Amino acid sequence: QIAWFLNLRGSDIDYNPVFFSYAVVKKNRLGDWMSTLYVNLKQLSADAGSYLREYAVALSDKAAFWTDLEQFKGWKIVVSPTCNMKIEEILSSEGKENSLIHETPVQDLKIKKNNTEVSGMRNCQIRDGAAIISYLAWLDHELNVNKNTTISEYSGAMKLRDCRAKQEDFVDLSFETISSIGSNGAIIHYAPKEKESAIINNTEVYLLDSGGQYRDGTTDTTRTTHFGTPNAEEKEMYTRVLKCNLDLERVTFPDNQKIHGGNLEILARRHLWMTGKDFGHSTGHGVGHFLNVHEIPPLVHLWTKNVFEEGNVFSNEPGYYKVDHFGIRVENVMVCNKSEVKKGFYEFENLTIVPYERELFDFGLLTRDDLDYINTYHQKVVEKVKPILEGFNDTIAIEWLAKKTAHIDFP
């Protein structure tokens, strides 16, 4: 919240562009708002210091926060619900009764991205999509053309990082890459280790869940693929998961009915529930703007009550996991927009720009509308990503993209 409120970023926590700090915002006797940032001053760059002083933000060393906090005993205070216990103990000590409100307006403002933030999220997804496509094309080529049998889940993840690092405004990964082959894909939060990861092959399902931090946004994308010939069960379950994803993406709903994630969750599960299958995680979480990849709210889950609003950016990631066999997940990042066609309605826009795996399609489950929607999306992927791949002269990725996005006729 502090990083967003002051429009600053840091690097104190892996994968999250934030910094350890405290901030106090209060009104003075004249009714003017005043802010103080408590931070390790040695970490603060000269440019950041000048920027803060320009906006009248006072600076103090982080250690001084605890002493200064004493003056607020007895005040009515709005404090983050995730603040540490020591803050609450100080503010409620010595019999002085505080009115502590465990909710800040910053959180509500932060999750409703403005036009600049949404534009940045769109743009960084295009570059990130180019990196993922370049990686998957390279991996396919290595396995099936060069017959490479030495690429591990971990080395694959490192190759993907290299692909992202070539993109404009790349800063870091947004979380540890989930690069998983076969049964490892059924471990929802699996992360390969350098000396213990499996070799990627063309005989099993490969699940890739990864993301990047860019100066204009944060990404989180999952694609499940197969570099050989998948079996009927793998195709069926992949297609059911994809239909769950697309059903949630295509929904529209009135903007005055306070629709929340719990209302829509069934759309992301019904094609699995029809066969007695399910998945044991939420369908979606909020995504920060060059901030934490997990930002809650919003949340898409049966028990959540967070109402969708314009500018909410969140993931859509249904899955299926057959223990000891394979895992399937299809994840896009979406934004909630006001519909330009249906007045008074909201709709979701898919920001992710990576094709789906046609080799895993069970065409008996896909309707004409499904294929029309997928074809339109794949054309968008080509239009957005191909120029970037051409700029890198990545002929392997360009050819792979053409194959994966070729028009599909209804059977």
Side-chain angles (χ1 to χ4, degrees):
Q1 291 190 28
I2 295 173
W4 183 89
F5 176 68
L6 296 175
N7 201 21
L8 293 175
R9 300 297 185 268
S11 57
D12 285 347
I13 301 176
D14 289 346
Y15 309 120
N16 300 286
V18 296
F19 49 95
F20 294 118
S21 62
Y22 300 98
V24 172
V25 183
K26 65 177 182 178
K27 276 187 177 181
N28 63 17
R29 294 178 180 178
L30 299 177
D32 297 322
W33 288 102
M34 301 175 62
S35 302
T36 302
L37 173 65
Y38 298 86
V39 67
N40 183 348
L41 297 176
K42 295 179 180 179
Q43 290 182 276
L44 202 65
S45 69
D47 288 344
S50 298
Y51 157 76
L52 291 168
R53 285 188 287 272
E54 179 184 352
Y55 288 94
V57 177
L59 295 172
S60 185
D61 191 80
K62 192 168 64 173
F65 172 75
W66 301 107
T67 301
D68 291 355
L69 195 63
E70 298 284 341
Q71 66 182 289
F72 299 113
K73 291 178 179 179
W75 286 39
K76 184 175 182 179
I77 297 172
V78 176
V79 62
S80 168
T82 58
C83 75
N84 64 54
M85 187 176 293
K86 184 176 180 180
I87 293 175
E88 189 156 343
E89 288 177 348
I90 291 174
L91 293 175
S92 59
S93 64
E94 297 183 3
K96 292 187 176 181
E97 188 172 328
N98 286 65
S99 179
L100 293 179
I101 303 172
H102 289 99
E103 183 177 350
T104 72
V106 173
Q107 180 68 6
D108 289 337
L109 293 169
K110 181 164 64 73
I111 65 175
K112 290 183 284 189
K113 275 59 176 180
N114 59 34
N115 290 338
T116 299
E117 291 171 315
V118 172
S119 177
M121 298 291 269
R122 286 194 187 100
N123 291 333
C124 75
Q125 289 282 355
I126 296 171
R127 301 193 302 277
D128 197 67
I132 295 172
I133 290 167
S134 182
Y135 166 68
L136 290 175
W138 168 85
L139 187 54
D140 194 342
H141 188 82
E142 287 296 308
L143 294 176
N144 291 310
V145 178
N146 293 339
K147 308 300 180 183
N148 192 334
T149 59
T150 65
I151 302 171
S152 69
E153 296 164 321
Y154 179 84
S155 63
M158 294 302 101
K159 174 67 176 181
L160 175 56
R161 193 193 192 288
D162 291 342
C163 292
R164 281 196 166 98
K166 296 176 183 178
Q167 301 299 323
E168 182 181 1
D169 287 334
F170 174 77
V171 177
D172 197 359
L173 303 181
S174 56
F175 57 96
E176 190 173 13
T177 297
I178 299 172
S179 169
S180 52
I181 190 74
S183 60
N184 288 338
I187 304 171
I188 295 173
H189 292 118
Y190 174 82
K193 304 304 178 185
E194 182 174 5
K195 298 181 180 180
E196 300 175 1
S197 63
I199 298 298
I200 300 173
N201 59 63
N202 61 3
T203 62
E204 296 179 286
V205 172
Y206 179 62
L207 187 154
L208 178 70
D209 186 348
S210 67
Q213 294 285 7
Y214 298 84
R215 294 190 183 279
D216 52 352
T218 302
T219 69
D220 185 359
T221 302
T222 305
R223 287 296 181 263
T224 304
T225 188
H226 198 298
F227 299 107
T229 304
N231 63 40
E233 180 188 21
E234 292 164 345
K235 285 185 174 183
E236 178 192 353
M237 299 317 299
Y238 176 89
T239 306
R240 289 189 178 280
V241 169
L242 177 60
K243 286 174 71 73
C244 288
N245 179 289
L246 296 180
D247 276 7
L248 179 58
E249 179 181 327
R250 290 179 287 189
V251 69
T252 61
F253 52 94
D255 61 14
N256 63 352
Q257 294 299 312
K258 296 185 177 181
I259 301 298
H260 53 74
N263 297 133
L264 303 181
E265 173 81 348
I266 189 173
L267 296 174
R269 296 181 186 264
R270 73 184 187 98
H271 291 287
L272 291 170
W273 286 357
M274 288 167 65
T275 61
K277 305 293 195 301
D278 201 1
F279 55 94
H281 57 76
S282 63
T283 296
H285 57 81
V287 179
H289 176 259
F290 189 26
L291 277 173
N292 300 40
V293 72
H294 285 181
E295 183 176 81
I296 298 174
L299 186 67
V300 183
H301 198 281
L302 290 170
W303 47 259
T304 186
K305 300 297 182 183
N306 301 121
V307 175
F308 283 113
E309 297 181 273
E310 183 180 16
N312 287 164
V313 174
F314 62 100
S315 68
N316 171 14
E317 49 183 306
Y320 171 72
Y321 310 94
K322 185 175 182 180
V323 177
D324 296 328
H325 289 81
F326 61 86
I328 292 169
R329 187 160 62 251
V330 178
E331 177 184 16
N332 299 321
V333 170
M334 306 198 298
V335 60
C336 182
N337 296 325
K338 288 187 176 181
S339 175
E340 295 181 359
V341 178
K342 303 174 183 177
K343 186 176 180 180
F345 275 69
Y346 281 145
E347 62 187 13
F348 297 141
E349 174 191 351
N350 179 7
L351 302 178
T352 302
I353 306 291
V354 182
Y356 302 119
E357 181 48 80
R358 63 201 292 133
E359 299 302 323
L360 280 166
F361 287 178
D362 181 339
F363 289 99
L365 294 174
L366 292 169
T367 66
R368 186 182 298 275
D369 286 345
D370 291 335
L371 286 177
D372 287 346
Y373 196 83
I374 292 169
N375 282 327
T376 299
Y377 173 68
H378 280 173
Q379 184 59 38
K380 176 182 177 181
V381 171
V382 173
E383 292 172 357
K384 297 292 185 181
V385 170
K386 188 177 179 181
I388 297 177
L389 300 176
E390 290 174 335
F392 286 110
N393 195 29
D394 192 343
T395 56
I396 291 175
I398 294 170
E399 292 174 5
W400 184 91
L401 178 63
K403 181 175 69 173
K404 295 298 181 181
T405 58
H407 188 273
I408 303 172
D409 294 321
F410 185 71

